Amino acid sequence: MRKVRVVLASGSPRRRELLMQVGLEPVIVLSHVEEVIKSQEPAQVVRELSLQKAVDVAGRIENGYFDEERREEHLENAVVIGADTVVTVDGRILGKPGTRAEAEAMIRLLQNREHQVYTGVAMIFGDTGEKVVFAEKTNVFVYPMSEEQIHRYVDTGESMDKAGAYGIQGTFAAYIRGIEGDYNNVVGLPIGQVCQELMARGFKVF
């Protein structure tokens, strides 16, 4: 099996940690693409956005993002991974809150009910140019929350850089009643499926 070199088109520390958990230490190259959404269907939205990010970063690498001394190192057996996560409730897509008031409003929508988390992943394999794009859905069930509990959670600061205004791996775990599906998908990357795609192509994961 071949050793894989992962380029992660995301600045998310959670996605980086999930890759490192399975022995993959990614190079971080942030995407600068202007995101264009052409669908209202959540799974399609995250597939489109993850692919836009991966294509942007793959193109920048091909055009000399790394200096010549390091270029071959990062393109040989490389895979560029783009990802995007959204939270939906009643078909409404919730992104990252822009203000505290928006964060509190999102948590009110999610408490005492079920919602869905979708993560799209795009993988571009440098040696063949193959593109693999998929989306994973996880159902999440949240306990009832009082206004005081909502305020206290938003006070932690966890809400502001997360889709749906919460992080399941943080203090919001106190309000998670259960999930159906992949837990890591809610964190930000369905790492199991990513590894399966790599191993199916002869790459070593850990």
Side-chain angles (χ1 to χ4, degrees):
M1 298 188 77
R2 298 175 292 165
K3 183 177 180 180
V4 65
R5 303 182 188 280
V6 174
V7 179
L8 179 61
S10 169
S12 166
R14 293 163 293 281
R15 292 181 181 131
R16 179 176 180 271
E17 288 165 4
L18 285 169
L19 287 164
M20 293 184 68
Q21 180 179 320
V22 296
L24 300 172
E25 185 164 357
V27 176
I28 307 299
V29 181
L30 299 182
S31 169
H32 296 155
V33 71
E34 183 176 347
E35 297 179 354
V36 178
I37 299 175
K38 300 178 181 178
S39 173
Q40 295 301 312
E41 200 278 311
Q44 184 60 25
V45 167
V46 293
R47 283 193 293 263
E48 289 176 357
L49 294 179
S50 64
L51 182 58
Q52 289 171 23
K53 294 174 183 177
V55 167
D56 175 59
V57 168
R60 290 169 61 204
I61 293 173
E62 288 292 345
N63 291 325
Y65 176 85
F66 297 110
D67 58 44
E68 286 302 316
E69 184 177 338
R70 298 179 61 201
R71 191 168 188 269
E72 182 178 351
E73 172 191 346
H74 289 287
L75 289 180
E76 181 184 357
N77 290 340
V79 57
V80 177
I81 298 177
D84 193 83
T85 300
V86 298
V87 171
T88 68
V89 58
D90 293 335
R92 175 183 171 187
I93 296 177
L94 305 181
K96 297 176 182 178
T99 65
R100 179 190 176 91
E102 288 180 3
E104 292 181 352
M106 288 183 186
I107 299 297
R108 287 190 194 98
L109 279 176
L110 301 180
Q111 63 89 28
N112 196 29
R113 60 173 305 171
E114 172 190 359
H115 64 272
Q116 289 69 46
V117 178
Y118 293 83
T119 296
V121 177
M123 306 172 70
I124 300 179
F125 293 85
D127 53 352
T128 63
E130 179 187 9
K131 296 181 178 69
V132 175
V133 185
F134 60 90
E136 186 82 20
K137 180 183 83 168
T138 302
N139 296 319
V140 182
F141 303 85
V142 180
Y143 281 113
M145 297 175 67
S146 68
E147 279 296 301
E148 180 185 359
Q149 289 171 329
I150 292 171
H151 294 321
R152 287 179 61 193
Y153 176 67
V154 175
D155 281 343
T156 67
E158 287 182 3
S159 296
M160 301 314 293
D161 68 337
K162 297 176 180 64
Y166 77 91
I168 195 169
Q169 74 282 6
T171 56
F172 199 74
Y175 305 108
I176 298 297
R177 184 160 59 89
I179 68 168
E180 290 178 351
D182 184 353
Y183 170 84
N184 290 322
N185 185 59
V186 185
V187 178
L189 190 68
I191 190 65
Q193 183 63 31
V194 168
C195 289
Q196 293 300 308
E197 298 293 347
L198 290 171
M199 290 187 289
R201 290 159 180 80
F203 289 105
K204 182 169 57 178
V205 173
F206 58 86

